[in-house]
Amino acid sequence: MEASLQVQPPAGAQEGLPFWLLWFLLCVILLLVVFIFLRDKDLRRRISAFLSGARRHMLRLRIQAKLKKEREKKAALWRELGKQAWDEDVQDSCIEEECSKLSGLDQEIGHHQKTWHDVYSRIEVLGREHDTGLKRFRELIAEQEEARRPHQDEMLALANKKNEILEALELSLREAETAKAQLAGIEKDIRQLEATARPSESDRTARLDKSREKAASLTGLITALDEKAPRLQEERYRLDRRLEGVEARVRVFNAAIQRIEEEYRERLQAREKEIREWQKAKERIQDKIVDVKRLMEPLFENVGRILDGARVDHEELTVIYFQIDGVNKTIADLEARLEHLK
């Protein structure tokens, strides 16, 4: 029954290639390619030429980079040779024209350097004046603050004293109002006791005596508080007058400090602005000196190139001549290698 349920492959259907057979065929193909390569000399030559050309191209690029570096080194040696000749005041007709141009540029640098030193000296003078003015400003402010300090201390003490008196006056008024309210209540109780006959005579008399005693005590307290309030009020007015006088003196010192600050602020700001302008001028002169020195570089290189060709005899130039010869030899070798690779 199970055998009858299995699906039978259709007739003529082919199974796939075994895995090992696929690898075997690939190996055979590879061997055939190698065999053909070994037998075909023209193919080997073309592949070799291709690989050799790539190597030669890379080698040319490396040699060209080295050659560029050596030529830059030679130009730097020419500039050094020209500077050395200029510093040593080497004289020769072959470099007379270039030296004349360098002399003009050197004079221009000297003029700019003199101007730079004048500007620098002016900046130093302004800086010292600014420091002196700032020091004097701080001294004047400190003097005014020192003179103002005792008046400020007195003003603070008077203000504290005034607050204490105001608090005492407010407390006295509250106590007087409370005592008057209590006295009014006691007087009402006394009138009620006097108008009624219900309690016994002895009890009513005792309660009246006690109430009258409290009333007398409250009356005395109210009298004392009423007498105290005007004194406190007078003390407050006296403190107000003293406080006004002290505050007026403090305002005088504050006005003096403000006047000094405004006066010196304008002076200091004006001097700081002037210093900044001179500093900008100094920077502009420095830029001019750098620009002129940059113009001298190609002239130094021309002088060095001319001297290298003429080989003017001078002891201080011998070492640089020797270095240039070494670079020339390296350049010649590199150029020969490049020619060989064409």
Side-chain angles (χ1 to χ4, degrees):
M1 184 67 179
E2 294 179 356
S4 64
L5 292 176
Q6 292 179 354
V7 179
Q8 298 295 329
Q14 296 180 355
E15 296 182 358
L17 290 175
F19 187 72
W20 64 269
L21 183 58
L22 176 63
W23 281 106
F24 175 75
L25 291 175
L26 289 175
C27 291
V28 170
I29 293 171
L30 182 60
L31 288 173
L32 288 174
V33 171
V34 173
F35 180 74
I36 294 171
F37 175 76
L38 292 175
R39 287 180 59 84
D40 193 340
K41 295 181 180 180
D42 186 56
L43 177 60
R44 292 200 308 273
R45 187 169 55 255
R46 286 198 301 269
I47 295 174
S48 177
F50 173 76
L51 295 176
S52 176
R55 286 195 299 271
R56 290 162 67 88
H57 178 69
M58 293 299 297
L59 185 57
R60 278 199 302 271
L61 290 178
R62 286 198 294 269
I63 293 175
Q64 287 171 354
K66 290 181 180 179
L67 187 59
K68 180 181 178 182
K69 186 176 180 180
E70 290 298 321
R71 285 171 177 167
E72 291 174 352
K73 184 178 179 181
K74 183 177 180 179
L77 286 171
W78 278 341
R79 288 192 294 272
E80 184 180 351
L81 180 63
K83 290 178 183 177
Q84 187 69 29
W86 176 255
D87 293 338
E88 297 295 331
D89 195 22
V90 175
Q91 301 290 333
D92 196 272
S93 59
C94 64
I95 57 173
E96 184 176 351
E97 182 180 353
E98 302 297 325
C99 287
S100 176
K101 295 178 181 178
L102 285 171
S103 178
L105 293 175
D106 191 56
Q107 290 177 3
E108 186 176 351
I109 289 177
H111 172 71
H112 289 319
Q113 287 177 338
K114 182 180 181 303
T115 305
W116 185 90
H117 283 294
D118 293 340
V119 171
Y120 182 79
S121 300
R122 179 58 180 164
I123 291 173
E124 284 191 326
V125 171
L126 289 173
R128 288 193 294 269
E129 291 177 354
H130 180 271
D131 293 340
T132 302
L134 185 61
K135 181 181 179 182
R136 180 56 181 164
F137 163 72
R138 290 171 177 169
E139 289 175 350
L140 291 174
I141 294 295
E143 289 175 1
Q144 294 296 323
E145 290 177 343
E146 184 65 25
R148 182 185 62 181
R149 185 171 293 110
H151 302 288
Q152 281 184 322
D153 294 341
E154 183 181 0
M155 183 176 66
L156 181 60
L158 290 173
N160 292 333
K161 183 65 174 176
K162 178 181 176 181
N163 290 333
E164 292 176 1
I165 290 175
L166 288 174
E167 291 176 359
L169 180 60
E170 184 179 357
L171 179 61
S172 176
L173 293 174
R174 285 202 305 269
E175 289 179 350
E177 290 177 0
T178 303
K180 287 177 181 179
Q182 292 176 352
L183 179 60
I186 292 172
E187 288 176 345
K188 182 180 179 182
D189 292 339
I190 292 173
R191 287 194 298 271
Q192 289 177 350
L193 287 172
E194 288 176 344
T196 184
R198 283 186 180 181
S200 62
E201 184 67 23
S202 59
D203 290 340
R204 189 156 52 88
T205 301
R207 290 176 63 182
L208 283 171
D209 291 341
K210 186 176 180 181
S211 296
R212 288 187 182 113
E213 183 180 352
K214 288 183 66 175
S217 176
L218 287 171
T219 301
L221 177 61
I222 291 170
T223 302
L225 290 173
D226 288 342
E227 292 175 354
K228 181 180 180 182
R231 290 198 305 271
L232 291 173
Q233 196 71 291
E234 179 61 27
E235 180 67 14
R236 172 195 171 186
Y237 293 148
R238 186 179 65 81
L239 286 174
D240 282 340
R241 290 191 295 272
R242 289 182 59 189
L243 195 56
E244 288 176 0
V246 175
E247 288 175 345
R249 291 195 294 273
V250 171
R251 283 196 295 271
V252 170
F253 288 107
N254 289 339
I257 291 173
Q258 184 178 1
R259 184 176 62 255
I260 293 170
E261 287 178 345
E262 291 175 353
E263 177 184 354
Y264 273 84
R265 185 184 299 111
E266 292 177 359
R267 291 183 186 178
L268 294 173
Q269 288 177 349
R271 187 164 288 118
E272 288 171 356
K273 181 180 179 181
E274 187 177 2
I275 290 173
R276 287 194 299 270
E277 291 174 351
W278 281 103
Q279 286 175 339
K280 290 179 180 178
K282 185 185 72 171
E283 292 172 358
R284 288 194 294 269
I285 296 170
Q286 290 174 174
D287 293 339
K288 290 180 180 179
I289 293 174
V290 172
D291 291 340
V292 175
K293 288 184 177 180
R294 190 179 294 115
L295 293 174
M296 296 177 75
E297 290 297 314
L299 292 175
F300 284 136
E301 186 173 337
N302 288 337
V303 171
R305 184 184 293 108
I306 295 169
L307 290 174
D308 181 33
R311 290 298 168 114
V312 175
D313 187 23
H314 194 281
E315 182 180 357
E316 298 297 331
L317 307 181
T318 305
V319 175
I320 304 178
Y321 287 150
F322 178 76
Q323 293 175 341
I324 292 174
D325 290 339
V327 173
N328 286 335
K329 183 177 183 304
T330 303
I331 291 174
D333 292 341
L334 292 173
E335 289 177 341
R337 291 174 62 186
L338 274 179
E339 187 67 24
H340 179 70
L341 290 172
K342 287 184 179 180

